[in-house]
Amino acid sequence: MKNLDAVLAAAVEAAQAAGRVIVERQATGGSALSYKQDVEPVTEADLLSDGVITRSLQRAFPLYGILSEETAASDGWESGDLSAPQWVVDPIDGTANYTRGHPYVSIAVAFVVDGFTQAGVVHAPFLGETFTAVAGRGAQLNGVPIRVSHPDGLLRAVVSTGFPHLKTDLDPLVQRITRLLTHCQDIRRAASPALDISWVGAGRLDAHTETLHPWDVAAASLIAREAGAVRSHLEPVPPHIPPDLFGGGYLVSSPAIHDELVDVLRGTRGGDSPPPGRMAGTDPNGLDLNRA
């Protein structure tokens, strides 16, 4: 296996360098704003951050590919070789927050081999926080180990979620929110899912669920699982996409409420068997091959 200490150090260096750039960019007047598909915001800072991360990672490991949110659409990432060693990058997760001066913004960098995330970093530059994890070694926040929460049932759980940019079909979203509001203590919507998922690992949130992309989940999911969280997919994982890179129907939570939350979100109650797709945080690779 590759030297994961060096891999993690390169990911941290890249994410923090990009963080300094976007903080400085915002302080000097922000960035010009455009929209992908007329709905998803993109700024000059997204592209600047992407360039900083790409150059930094290529200097450290020039042979590894990079799957970044800012190039994924043109690259056709789903048809690529997802088993090759590669970096998975979100240069700014929470662009809408960033453009409005909100501090809840993150940068995510993951290293993935054979479809499994081996190292991950989620850096929140405006909060001064860096979440890190290496497969099988636990998760940390600014160098201090973190662990998930243990709420006393779903009625005592705070669950975060997100809303899609395209709002052509709101019924599933309304149904999800209704189920969460009626079965949980409260919900949150902070608009940086990589940071939300990392906060599950730190015990600041009890769960997070929404439909996401590889760059949202690759690094953060490893961090949460290494901190003791459990992950599921509430929709089938396509055979050509590794579970670590699939964000459809994504759910990560404290193990204390996971099965109950799966039942609530699927509209079922009870059941003795584990939910399909469940992945336990104790597996070094985060994958239960019997349930994927």
Side-chain angles (χ1 to χ4, degrees):
M1 189 57 210
K2 308 294 183 293
N3 183 344
L4 291 181
D5 291 328
V7 164
L8 183 65
V12 169
E13 180 178 353
Q16 291 183 343
R20 291 189 292 272
V21 167
I22 69 170
V23 168
E24 180 181 356
R25 182 69 179 179
Q26 190 182 76
T28 56
S31 298
L33 184 66
S34 60
Y35 291 88
K36 291 186 286 189
Q37 298 180 313
D38 291 328
V39 294
E40 186 173 355
V42 181
T43 69
E44 292 174 356
D46 289 272
L47 303 179
L48 286 171
S49 176
D50 189 62
V52 169
I53 294 169
T54 296
R55 291 189 294 273
S56 181
L57 295 178
Q58 287 180 338
R59 282 195 302 269
F61 293 96
L63 299 182
Y64 299 152
I66 298 176
L67 170 60
S68 171
E69 178 182 15
E70 298 310 321
T71 57
S74 59
D75 288 348
W77 69 270
E78 291 185 351
S79 61
D81 182 6
L82 299 179
S83 66
Q86 62 185 308
W87 303 97
V88 180
V89 174
D90 193 338
I92 298 183
D93 186 44
T95 299
N97 287 346
Y98 178 78
T99 62
R100 290 161 176 80
H102 296 188
Y104 201 81
V105 172
S106 63
I107 295 165
V109 180
F111 181 65
V112 181
V113 181
D114 293 329
F116 295 100
T117 304
Q118 299 296 326
V121 175
V122 174
H123 175 54
F126 295 98
L127 302 177
E129 295 188 336
T130 304
F131 295 86
T132 58
V134 171
R137 299 189 196 174
Q140 297 184 330
L141 166 56
N142 290 348
V144 178
I146 56 174
R147 294 297 296 173
V148 296
S149 63
H150 293 280
D152 185 16
L154 199 52
L155 287 173
R156 297 291 179 265
V158 175
V159 179
S160 63
T161 190
F163 305 154
H165 292 290
L166 290 170
K167 298 178 176 62
T168 54
D169 182 7
L170 292 180
D171 287 343
L173 171 62
V174 171
Q175 188 176 69
R176 184 204 319 157
I177 296 301
T178 299
R179 288 174 176 170
L180 291 174
L181 282 173
T182 54
H183 290 87
C184 303
Q185 178 179 321
D186 207 348
I187 62 172
R188 299 286 184 269
R189 201 276 179 169
S192 177
L195 196 50
D196 292 333
I197 295 164
S198 299
W199 277 33
V200 172
R204 296 171 176 175
L205 294 166
D206 302 308
H208 181 82
T209 182
E210 68 175 302
T211 289
L212 296 166
H213 300 287
W215 38 89
D216 300 312
V217 301
S221 193
L222 177 68
I223 290 164
R225 295 199 317 267
E226 285 293 324
V230 179
R231 179 187 68 185
S232 287
H233 292 109
L234 303 176
E235 58 187 69
V237 180
H240 64 289
I241 299 179
D244 276 8
L245 298 182
F246 184 63
Y250 180 88
L251 168 65
V252 64
S253 80
S254 163
I257 59 169
H258 191 82
D259 291 359
E260 188 179 2
L261 188 51
V262 167
D263 288 342
V264 165
L265 291 170
R266 284 185 172 153
T268 62
R269 301 295 298 171
D272 295 328
S273 59
R278 172 171 170 167
M279 299 182 184
T282 54
D283 185 336
N285 287 318
L287 177 63
D288 184 339
L289 296 175
N290 294 320
R291 300 193 184 108

